[in-house]
Amino acid sequence: MKLFRHGAPGSERPGLLDAHGVRRDLTGIIVDVVPGTIGPDALRRLARLDASRLPEVDPAERLGPCIGEVGNVIAIGLNYADHAAEAGLPLPKQPIVFSKHTAAISGPDDDVWLPPGAAKLDWEVELAVVIGQPAWHVPRERALDVVAGYCLANDVSERAHQLEMDGQWIKGKSYPTHCPLGPWLVTADEVPDPQAVELWLDVNGTPRQRGSTRTMVFGVAEIVSYLSRFMRLLPGDVILTGTPPGVGMGQRPPQFLRAGDVVTLGSPQLGQQRQCVVDAPLPAR
C-alpha cells in the first residue's frame, strides 16, 4: 500500500493511493497515519479495504509528511561509498549516527526555508525507513520485520552550521522545513529489497544526484539492528539512511541553494517531491 496525509499543515487527514493511482480518503477508517496505525495488524486491516468505495481526494490538495507524530528522526552519515569519496572522507567503520529535530519535518512539496545568513544550504535525496513496531536488540536477520515501510526524504543541510561550528551536526540539519517526507509511506511489502531502490535529484532541472541503495556501506537491516543496540526504536521513528553522490558540497566548485531555486527528487518505488527555496518567514519581533 501507499499511504499519505493530506490537508493544511497541522490538520492533515489520512489517505490511501488505490490500485489505479487515485487518492482516497481514510478519514473515519483510521485517525491518521501515525505510530498507532502502522503496526502489522493495522496495516493488514487496511490492506483488506475495498479502496474503490472510499471518497476521492482532490489531487490538487496539499500533501503533508507521510507519517505524523514522529518521535525521532535518526540519520546515518557518509553511508554511500561514492558520497564519502566526494567529501574526501574515509569510509566509516561503523554507522555515523546523528539526529534531526522533528520540527524540521515538512510535506514533500512544501517550500524549503533558507535560514537568515545561510550561505551553504545543501540537498540530499535519501531512502527513509519508518519503524512499525518496537525494536530493541533486534538481530540483523529479523531487522526488516520491524519496518512498516519506506519513504522518500530530502535531508536538507546547512553545511556551515553543520561543519564549521562547534558541536554536533544536528545544528545544520534541523531548521524548519529541512526534512521533507513523502509523498507516500510505501509499505514494506511493496519494497521487498530496500537495497534495490533507485534515487535521483535535480536542481533547477539540472541532474545532480543519481544513485542506488545497492551502493550503501551499511544496508537497511544492518542499520536497524545496529541502532537497536543503543536505543529502543519505536513505531513512527524515521531513519534517514544516507545519500548518494552529487550533493552541492561535492560539486567542483561547490554549489549551494539560493532563494528561487527549485529542487525535484524522486524514486521509481517511492514517488517524487518538489520544493521551492524561499527566505524563511521569520516571526515578528
Side-chain angles (χ1 to χ4, degrees):
M1 289 182 295
K2 293 180 175 67
L3 303 175
F4 64 90
R5 301 171 70 245
H6 61 102
S11 301
E12 291 92 350
R13 301 180 302 282
L16 180 152
L17 201 67
D18 74 14
H20 302 287
V22 177
R23 300 179 188 183
R24 302 284 183 172
D25 187 54
L26 285 171
T27 302
I29 306 296
I30 57 173
V31 63
D32 198 352
V33 184
V34 289
T37 62
I38 59 170
D41 292 341
L43 292 180
R44 279 193 288 269
R45 286 193 294 270
L46 288 178
R48 291 195 293 265
L49 287 174
D50 181 356
S52 66
R53 295 180 177 272
L54 298 172
E56 291 190 24
V57 174
D58 183 348
E61 188 172 14
R62 170 188 177 268
L63 291 177
C66 61
I67 176 71
E69 299 180 10
V70 174
N72 296 283
V73 179
I74 306 156
I76 306 299
L78 298 176
N79 196 33
Y80 286 71
D82 31 15
H83 174 51
E86 75 175 351
L89 295 169
L91 290 181
K93 296 180 180 179
Q94 297 184 43
I96 296 173
V97 180
F98 62 94
S99 295
K100 291 175 78 84
H101 196 290
T102 55
I105 294 172
S106 59
D109 301 323
D110 291 346
D111 291 341
V112 163
W113 295 354
L114 185 70
K120 297 184 178 181
L121 192 67
D122 208 344
W123 57 84
E124 293 190 20
V125 61
E126 306 204 9
L127 168 71
V129 177
V130 180
I131 298 298
Q133 50 187 311
W136 187 45
H137 289 280
V138 62
R140 180 175 175 177
E141 59 270 19
R142 291 200 293 108
L144 296 185
D145 295 343
V146 306
V147 175
Y150 304 90
C151 66
L152 191 68
N154 188 357
D155 179 15
V156 182
S157 308
E158 211 300 327
R159 300 299 189 189
H161 298 170
Q162 177 192 358
L163 301 172
E164 299 172 18
M165 301 178 72
D166 293 338
Q168 301 297 312
W169 285 7
I170 191 171
K171 290 189 294 187
K173 297 282 189 172
S174 295
Y175 204 74
T177 75
H178 286 191
C179 189
L181 297 177
W184 328 119
L185 171 56
V186 183
T187 52
D189 59 295
E190 293 200 11
V191 188
D193 183 1
Q195 304 312 137
V197 175
E198 304 297 320
L199 300 167
W200 62 268
L201 182 146
D202 297 347
V203 178
N204 299 325
T206 299
R208 292 301 183 193
Q209 290 188 276
R210 297 292 185 272
S212 169
T213 57
R214 68 174 59 91
T215 67
M216 282 181 175
V217 179
F218 307 102
V220 171
E222 186 171 3
I223 290 169
V224 171
S225 177
Y226 180 84
L227 292 175
S228 78
R229 292 167 49 191
F230 307 103
M231 61 195 78
R232 191 169 188 255
L233 298 172
L234 299 173
D237 283 351
V238 174
I239 303 170
L240 307 187
T241 59
T243 196
V247 300
M249 182 176 61
Q251 306 293 315
R252 297 294 181 265
Q255 298 184 28
F256 298 108
L257 296 170
R258 298 174 294 179
D261 286 343
V262 176
V263 181
T264 50
L265 56 150
S267 163
Q269 297 95 328
L270 305 175
Q272 297 187 25
Q273 300 184 0
R274 181 183 187 275
Q275 294 116 29
C276 296
V277 181
V278 301
D279 290 321
L282 298 181
R285 294 184 181 275

